[in-house]
Amino acid sequence: MNLQITCIPGDGIGPEIVAEAKKVLVKAGEKFDFTPVFTDILMGGASIDVHGVPLTEEAVAAAKAAEAVLMGSIGGNTTTSPWYKLPPEKRPEAGLLKIRKELNLFANLRPAFLYKELAGACPLKEEISRAGFDIMIMRELTGGLYFGERRTVEENGIRKAIDTLTYDEKEIRRIAIKGFDIAMKRKKKVTSVDKANVLDSSRLWRAVVEEVAKDYPEVELEHMLVDNCAMQLVKNPAQFDVILTENMFGDILSDEASMVTGSIGMLASASLNDTKFGLYEPSHGSAPDIAGQNIANPIATILSAAMMLRFSFDLDKAADEIEAAVQQVLKEGYRTVDIMAEGCKQVSCSEMGSLITERL
Ligand code: NAD
């Protein structure tokens, strides 16, 4: 079976970490009887340098023709790179916004998993970090406050800014279905987060989530107010499985959840549309400060590739084994510089990729 995968190596450490994820996918394919077929496209700064724009129509077409997209990350040093002297719509990040829109990626998934071996990096109290946690934050990505009508006006000499938060039931239903589908592949619990004590949009959110829940009798549903969720994430993160929430709440909570893991180089992410298609990328940026040195941590990208196998190709077993190989390498004490700890063995980006490939 061929898997058609478009790759966006991108900028900074992007090409280094994507190369390692490709290595792991090829090996997983040998073991689980699939062949990844990679087509590389340019995006971000790399595309600006060649084509003058951060994403060409040809690149969009290549992404659409694939079954999934695997991305490194894009962008450069925002103070010194000439890319940031360009108007906003020509800068690297405009490519990312465009591809998300073109591919209709409305569901953003960010796992926050605390590896036992990296518990020392968790900023929470030891009794909390010892219990570990494995959370999937599911954030609506194309609606809500960030996409509502906005304007700034002046009334009687006083400036006033207005942003609007709108959701219709279709937008809520499609993300809720994704959330429950993903919970079915995990511990079968959904915590739907809203502010239903204040906002109409949250009351509709809650009602539609409850309607969708009826189709998933095996999944336990609970509702939680966003302010309480922010507290619970640092007090008792082990209580969560899937956190399902709207755009702005998800933006804030997913960053909070990733920070409690303490390791930016370990965090994967996925953005999905209503088919099996998805764009998979690490949560971190292009780390221009360490680019080209072969020291970046490729694990977030490798785990993003595992998510791709799970969610776009239903190759759950292969995904499980990649995750287990990552854990095994950590258990053996291998670390890249960002997660280095006393008594461990420091390895380069490519060595980490090879170690994970060998353990598969
Ligand atoms: P960053 O995530 O790139 O880096 C923050 C810090 O973490 C740096 O010190 C970096 O060296 C380190 N780091 C990040 N990933 C690492 C890894 N895999 N291994 C080891 N160390 C790692 O954030 P930033 O410096 O704020 O942003 C740099 C560029 O990345 C900017 O242009 C920004 O716009 C862009 N960015 C892109 C994306 C994306 O492509 N989706 C996301 C975030 C930021």
Side-chain angles (χ1 to χ4, degrees):
M1 178 179 58
N2 284 352
L3 313 186
Q4 300 296 337
I5 301 166
T6 292
C7 290
I8 305 174
D11 306 315
I13 59 170
E16 300 164 50
I17 53 182
V18 168
E20 299 315 309
K22 282 181 175 173
K23 242 157 68 175
V24 171
L25 283 171
V26 169
K27 178 69 186 290
E30 286 165 12
K31 198 164 169 193
F32 291 95
D33 209 19
F34 64 82
T35 310
V37 181
F38 301 116
T39 309
D40 282 7
I41 60 171
L42 296 177
M43 194 169 99
S47 175
I48 295 171
D49 289 347
V50 177
H51 302 294
V53 289
L55 185 69
T56 62
E57 294 308 324
E58 293 73 34
V60 171
K64 283 185 177 166
E67 294 169 279
V69 176
L70 178 67
M71 188 177 130
S73 51
I74 50 116
N77 183 313
T78 48
T79 4
T80 57
S81 163
W83 299 328
Y84 295 92
K85 307 266 183 296
L86 297 166
E89 68 281 8
K90 295 222 162 130
R91 291 183 194 171
E93 286 69 18
L96 190 55
L97 294 179
K98 181 172 170 170
I99 203 162
R100 282 185 181 150
K101 188 155 178 259
E102 291 278 350
L103 300 173
N104 194 24
L105 303 171
F106 64 84
N108 182 237
L109 270 82
R110 294 228 333 231
F113 181 79
L114 184 67
Y115 286 89
K116 225 175 35 248
E117 294 77 12
L118 301 181
C122 173
L124 303 178
K125 280 191 192 148
E126 210 192 316
E127 65 255 35
I128 302 174
S129 62
R130 217 183 303 120
F133 52 84
D134 178 4
I135 308 169
M136 181 68 84
I137 306 233
M138 179 102 192
R139 164 188 172 195
E140 203 289 328
L141 204 56
T142 56
L145 199 59
Y146 298 169
F147 290 88
E149 278 174 41
R150 67 176 57 103
R151 63 187 188 281
T152 304
V153 293
E154 196 168 311
E155 286 172 359
N156 304 324
I158 307 281
R159 284 173 297 161
K160 182 163 105 177
I162 301 145
D163 294 291
T164 51
L165 199 178
T166 311
Y167 271 109
D168 69 35
E169 59 181 307
K170 273 170 65 193
E171 290 172 298
I172 302 169
R173 188 164 290 110
R174 64 181 186 176
I175 182 97
I177 290 170
K178 282 271 177 213
F180 280 90
D181 281 346
I182 279 157
M184 287 296 289
K185 283 184 179 253
R186 296 171 48 94
K187 283 180 266 160
K188 300 193 174 71
K189 179 177 175 192
V190 169
T191 304
S192 174
V193 173
D194 60 39
K195 189 73 183 167
N197 52 343
V198 181
L199 301 174
D200 264 23
S201 56
S202 282
R203 285 189 274 271
L204 181 63
W205 180 278
R206 204 175 266 218
V208 175
V209 169
E210 280 183 1
E211 286 163 23
V212 172
K214 292 196 182 108
D215 294 331
Y216 297 84
E218 287 173 61
V219 178
E220 179 197 347
L221 168 68
E222 69 172 0
H223 300 285
M224 191 177 279
L225 295 176
V226 61
D227 36 357
N228 186 24
C229 184
M231 291 190 282
Q232 294 300 326
L233 273 173
V234 289
K235 198 173 158 220
N236 179 15
Q239 71 184 286
F240 294 111
D241 179 22
V242 174
I243 292 180
L244 171 68
T245 192
E246 60 91 60
N247 201 343
M248 183 174 66
F249 298 158
D251 187 8
I252 299 165
L253 294 176
S254 60
D255 270 5
E256 183 190 0
S258 51
M259 277 307 105
V260 294
T261 68
S263 317
I264 190 170
M266 302 288 300
L267 299 166
S269 89
S271 302
L272 310 176
N273 67 17
D274 49 12
T275 67
K276 285 271 168 197
F277 187 92
L279 182 145
Y280 300 84
E281 57 174 322
S283 293
H284 59 73
S286 60
D289 52 334
I290 57 165
Q293 298 174 37
N294 193 22
I295 60 169
N297 186 348
I299 294 179
T301 317
I302 290 168
L303 293 173
S304 302
M307 283 179 87
M308 177 175 75
L309 296 181
R310 191 184 302 286
F311 296 123
S312 283
F313 298 106
D314 283 322
L315 291 163
D316 290 67
K317 187 87 185 64
D320 288 347
E321 295 234 351
I322 293 174
E323 289 166 3
V326 168
Q327 186 132 27
Q328 178 61 28
V329 168
L330 294 174
K331 204 164 146 197
E332 290 170 31
Y334 295 104
R335 302 281 188 275
T336 43
V337 64
D338 57 311
I339 50 172
M340 187 57 194
E342 224 184 297
C344 293
K345 289 161 266 190
Q346 192 171 319
V347 294
S348 67
C349 176
S350 52
E351 283 166 339
M352 182 55 96
S354 300
L355 283 162
I356 294 166
T357 308
E358 284 159 22
R359 299 297 177 276
L360 255 178

